[in-house]
Each structure stands twice: as structure tokens, then as C-alpha cells.
Amino acid sequence: MSVTDDEILPAVIAALEEATQHKVPVTPATVLRQDLNLDSLAEMDLIMALEDRFDVSISINHLPEIDTVAELAAMIAKMKKG
Amino acid sequence: MALFDKFAPLLKHYADVNAAGHNPFKVNIEQVLSPTEAMVNGRETLLVGTNNYLGLTFEPECIEAAIDALRREGTGTTGSRVANGSYEQHRRLEEELADFFGRKSAMVFSTGHHANLGLLSTLAGPHDHLVIDADSHASIYDGCKLSSAQVTRFKHNNPADLDKRLGRLASLPGEKIVVLEGIYSMLGDRAPLKEMVAICKRHGAYVVVDEAHSLGVLGRHGRGLCEEAEVEDQVDFIVGTFSKSLGAVGGFIVSNHPEFDVLRVACRTYKFTASLPPSVMASVRAALGVMRKKPELRLRLKANSKLLYDGMVALGFQVGPEVSPVVAVHLPNLEMGVRFWNMLLESGVYVNLAPPQATPNGVTLLRCSVCAAHTKEQLVRILDVFQAIGTELGLLQAPARRVAAQ
């Protein structure tokens, strides 16, 4: 599926809300591990789903560098540009 | 935040588990009596959670070889092979492993964990890609973490998903290294290896197969799933351990790669750890010999696995997807798992409790590992105990009602 940069952030937020069953409000400033209470396995599964959503590869070794939803969206945008 | 505050959730988890009686993660084996029996809490207990697949821990030939090596070469090597040199046992064990697997080279490590950690972190450089099954063992995840490589997970045992993810990586620079396991340790299921290896080769990827739980278990000669699936010539590196079928401790890698030997000076878990003691290597060499001489052990293990697996299914328990020496009984939640596990121990049966954090899809498992040395009577007793507890906890229909229902 083709996605523009502007669409990435809302799509990441929607995917996170779905993954957390809409229990927590998700904003660009939401901190993944702390605010969404994701353990490492849940976080890796979420990355796998986002890889499929945006047709990119996101190395799990980059996860420690990502704190917020905005940073995650920025990383996906960067990956999409290759 | 104080240094140890970060462990509060972990401590709470262990406290919860502890509350039900015995702690499943701190079992004290007072005395091991045989490959299948030990004294636990003053009670003779049947061991069904030790990964001692061929039951070689008390094999007289292995014990004698270890004693002889102990007398001749001492208690330990007191350092790494790079610093302290290689003993005769190191060289001969590596020659014998290479011969067993029909490979040019073998390299021995102090544990299986070290073998995976060393291979993956050394082989994959910053621009290379490690592609791993989502249900990989912790040592594979740790090897990835220690590497500087890009790491991609694919859905467990899903060839189409592996194909898709390798396809996405195709345009990126760097080598692709796919890591698979023969038998996955929690559910006892095996990788669809033939199909997956074909996909890897189509994408030009290297293949690593960890045969930790399948060595001595699968294949006509016990070489594991690669032998059984007839893909040995296409698998670049086989990793394994001496701590399961071979009844000791240690790890290894075998390969035909012409430059494999450079890992001896590049691999940090090889260079900076004390090497295996001579007595351990002597017992492993003897165990390798016993495994080659006695294919009946593997056949007995297969029959025992089928008996326990089929028995659990007949009782009405949900188990893993296929017959394997790992028989994983599913329980509805951790609380029930802890209760069931405690009642098993009180009844003299020891299995592994696998909590949701350690299992695929967060299920609670009573993980049984079958041994070639289990007698039919022991296996029937295990089933009887499972049935009695399952019925008492309301997880199984009471036998009378089952008869009535038929």
C-alpha cells in the first residue's frame, strides 16, 4: 500500500490504538514503553505489524533509539525513502 | 529511582508465583538418582522436565571417560584456548563432531548459549541482516542484540512470511543470514525446514540451524532436523549443545565454509571464556559414540514421546501441534499453571512451568520433556497423575462422566 509522509503519523497512531485496544489515548508525544505499557515482545510484534502496514523493514536493534510515537513515525518515513 | 527499583515488577511476579507453595523457578534437587528420578523435598520424584532426551547422564561409558580425563588432564583448563592452548580433548571432540556431521570444521564453545551469541554477533556486520523466527530461543535474540546487524523477525514457522520479509530486504546492501531451529523448545514443533531453506537459497541468504533440541532426536543418524529434512548440504552453519541429548554442557558450531576457522580469533565468546574442562569433553565424546552405536535410544525416545503425547490428547489436554519429546500441556492461565505444577510436585512428578512471558502467544505451559530412559510404567504414572490433578482442578471431565458421555 502506498503511503505519503503525511499519512504515516496518523496511520502509526491508528495502528497503536488498535494494538492497545483503544485503552490509552495515543498522541505523537506518547512514549511507547512507558505510556502504552508494552513489554519487549509486544513492542516487537507491533513493529512486525507496522512493517507490513508500510511495507518496510525496521530492525529491532533500532528500537532502543525510539521513545515516542513521533520518532517511530519519523523512522518509518526515513525507511520508506530508503 | 534506586538501582534495584527497576526489578519491582519482576519481583512481584515471582512473589505471586511463590505464593502457591513451591517456587517453580527455584526447585532444589536434593539428589539425582538416575536420568529419570531425583529426591525433591524429601520425596522420590519422576523427572519429566530435564531435556535429558537420550538419558545419557548416567551412562557408564561417559562416566568412566570423564573420570579418566579428570585423572589424566585435571579439573579444568583455567582459561581460554587462545591464551592457555587447546587440549587433546578439544581437538578430538572437534574432529569427531565434524566427522559426525560430515563437515570440514567444528568449533566447541563453553555453552550452547555462547555458541549462538558468538556466531550471530561475529558473523553479522553492521550492514548485514539477521532474519530470525519470532519464537527464537533467548540465545538467538541475545546474539542479535550483541551484533551490530539489522535484525528482522518473521512469523513463527511461516515460510510465506519469511519469503515476504527476505523480499523486502532484497534491495538493501549486506548479507542476509536466516536463523532457524530444528525443534522449538516451548511447543516442541519443528520448522518446515525444506521449504524454508529453499526460500533462503532463492534469496541468496545464508542459513543457520540451531539443532539444540533435535540433535540425537531427529534424523536417521540423529543429526537433527537438517538430516531428516534432507537439507544438510544447503545449511551453512549448524549450532548445537552438549547439554541435552549428550548429557553434559557446552555448545558447538559445524560448517563447511572454507574460512570458518577465522571465527576462532574473531569470536569473543570463544576467545574470552575459559574453555570446557577435559572431563566434560571426554563424556561428550563418549556420549557421541553411544549415540552413534545405539540408534535404539532414539527409537525408544520416539515411542515414549508418542505414548506421552497421545496419552495427554486422549485425556483431553491441549498439547503442542505435533508429537515430539517436548510435550507442552496448555493451561488456561498462570494461576492455574502454578497450582497444577505444585500439585504435580507434591505427587512426585517434576515438569517445567513455562509462564506467559516465556512462551509463544503468552500461553501458560506445563512443559514435559521425554527421556529414552523413561519406562512405560513411569509414563503411565505421569499420565495418571496429570489426569487426577486435571480432574480435581476441573480442567478435565471426571472419568465417570466421560464414560457416561460415551
Side-chain angles (χ1 to χ4, degrees):
Chain A
M1 192 184 298
S2 169
V3 196
T4 66
D5 276 11
D6 292 347
E7 290 168 331
I8 290 176
L9 185 58
V12 169
I13 290 175
L16 288 172
E17 283 174 338
E18 195 186 320
T20 52
Q21 298 170 325
H22 301 271
K23 283 178 191 154
V24 193
V26 180
T27 71
T30 298
V31 178
L32 291 169
R33 265 146 297 210
Q34 179 188 307
D35 299 339
L36 301 182
N37 198 23
L38 294 178
D39 63 21
S40 62
L41 191 61
E43 194 177 49
M44 290 191 295
D45 287 345
L46 177 75
I47 291 300
M48 215 180 208
L50 290 174
E51 285 182 320
D52 288 343
R53 170 74 180 78
F54 297 109
D55 195 25
V56 291
S57 290
I58 307 168
S59 172
I60 57 172
N61 271 359
H62 290 316
L63 291 183
E65 299 157 24
I66 301 170
D67 273 334
T68 65
V69 172
E71 287 169 13
L72 178 58
M75 171 173 280
I76 293 171
K78 194 175 138 200
M79 299 282 176
K80 282 206 76 70
K81 288 197 183 93
Chain B
M1 187 163 131
L3 184 61
F4 280 79
D5 285 359
K6 62 175 86 67
F7 301 114
L10 193 63
L11 278 177
K12 185 184 176 315
H13 168 69
Y14 280 98
D16 290 348
V17 168
N18 225 355
H22 304 290
N23 186 329
F25 311 113
K26 288 185 181 171
V27 173
N28 187 16
I29 306 285
E30 286 141 13
Q31 194 191 343
V32 185
L33 304 170
S34 74
T36 60
E37 291 154 313
M39 296 305 291
V40 181
N41 301 325
R43 184 184 293 114
E44 207 167 287
T45 300
L46 244 170
L47 300 175
V48 205
T50 59
N51 299 330
N52 189 359
Y53 299 124
L54 298 181
L56 294 184
T57 46
F58 280 79
E59 188 72 14
E61 228 175 284
C62 301
I63 291 173
E64 290 310 318
I67 292 170
D68 183 49
L70 205 50
R71 291 201 195 285
R72 282 190 299 110
E73 298 182 73
T75 52
T77 63
T78 66
S80 122
R81 289 168 68 181
V82 177
N84 293 21
S86 292
Y87 285 34
E88 184 200 353
Q89 297 287 352
H90 291 112
R91 290 193 303 271
R92 294 190 63 176
L93 176 55
E94 285 176 347
E95 280 167 19
E96 288 162 19
L97 274 171
D99 176 62
F100 177 66
F101 282 99
R103 301 263 171 170
K104 286 196 184 100
S105 315
M107 198 169 154
V108 170
F109 289 76
S110 299
T111 68
H113 190 282
H114 270 157
N116 267 334
L117 213 57
L119 180 70
L120 303 183
S121 65
T122 310
L123 210 52
H127 299 293
D128 296 326
H129 298 264
L130 289 165
V131 181
I132 64 169
D133 188 289
D135 289 357
S136 289
H137 185 261
S139 58
I140 293 172
Y141 273 105
D142 291 350
C144 290
K145 205 169 171 181
L146 195 63
S147 81
S148 50
Q150 309 297 306
V151 182
T152 299
R153 295 160 82 230
F154 62 89
K155 289 180 184 161
H156 175 56
N157 273 354
N158 186 327
D161 199 66
L162 171 65
D163 192 21
K164 179 174 73 182
R165 285 169 206 280
L166 280 173
R168 271 189 203 132
L169 297 174
S171 62
L172 300 175
E175 302 292 345
K176 319 301 183 299
I177 303 161
V178 177
V179 188
L180 306 166
E181 291 180 52
I183 291 180
Y184 284 84
S185 64
M186 282 296 136
L187 295 177
D189 51 340
R190 59 180 90 175
L193 204 56
K194 208 172 179 92
E195 205 179 336
M196 285 183 145
V197 168
I199 289 166
C200 293
K201 293 294 131 181
R202 205 165 62 237
H203 287 278
Y206 288 93
V207 184
V208 176
V209 177
D210 182 343
E211 300 269 22
H213 291 269
S214 36
L215 170 66
V217 174
L218 299 177
R220 208 160 66 86
H221 301 91
R223 292 199 295 267
L225 186 59
C226 293
E227 184 189 12
E228 186 154 304
E230 299 174 342
V231 293
E232 286 175 293
D233 58 336
Q234 296 165 71
V235 171
D236 302 277
F237 304 94
I238 289 177
V239 183
T241 174
F242 306 139
S243 63
K244 297 178 172 65
S245 287
L246 296 172
V249 68
F252 68 88
I253 309 168
V254 294
S255 177
N256 274 336
H257 199 287
E259 290 162 282
F260 181 74
D261 234 33
V262 74
L263 292 180
R264 292 189 196 275
V265 286
C267 186
R268 297 172 66 84
T269 61
Y270 177 88
K271 279 198 297 181
F272 296 111
T273 314
S275 64
L276 286 171
S279 55
V280 168
M281 293 185 286
S283 91
V284 170
R285 289 177 54 212
L288 207 51
V290 172
M291 193 168 86
R292 296 176 93 155
K293 272 189 304 203
K294 295 186 178 173
E296 63 269 26
L297 289 175
R298 199 170 54 261
L299 299 177
R300 205 175 307 145
L301 174 67
K302 202 171 170 183
N304 283 354
S305 304
K306 188 163 164 44
L307 197 155
L308 193 68
Y309 182 93
D310 288 350
M312 291 292 184
V313 171
L315 288 176
F317 285 109
Q318 186 191 341
V319 290
E322 58 187 297
V323 175
S324 135
V326 176
V327 179
V329 177
H330 290 56
L331 289 195
N333 52 52
L334 180 60
E335 193 191 345
M336 186 63 87
V338 173
R339 272 185 78 190
F340 203 125
W341 181 89
N342 269 279
M343 290 167 79
L344 283 170
L345 197 65
E346 288 294 320
S347 309
V349 175
Y350 173 73
V351 304
N352 304 129
L353 175 71
Q357 295 88 334
T359 64
N361 304 319
V363 293
T364 297
L365 302 173
L366 292 172
R367 181 187 176 279
C368 307
S369 48
V370 182
C371 179
H374 280 134
T375 63
K376 193 175 173 191
E377 292 69 32
Q378 287 177 323
L379 294 166
V380 168
R381 187 169 152 238
I382 295 162
L383 288 167
D384 286 347
V385 171
F386 264 84
Q387 182 177 27
I389 298 172
T391 307
E392 190 179 334
L393 292 177
L395 298 170
L396 299 176
Q397 286 190 339
R401 279 169 55 206
R402 278 173 59 216
V403 171
Q406 285 164 4

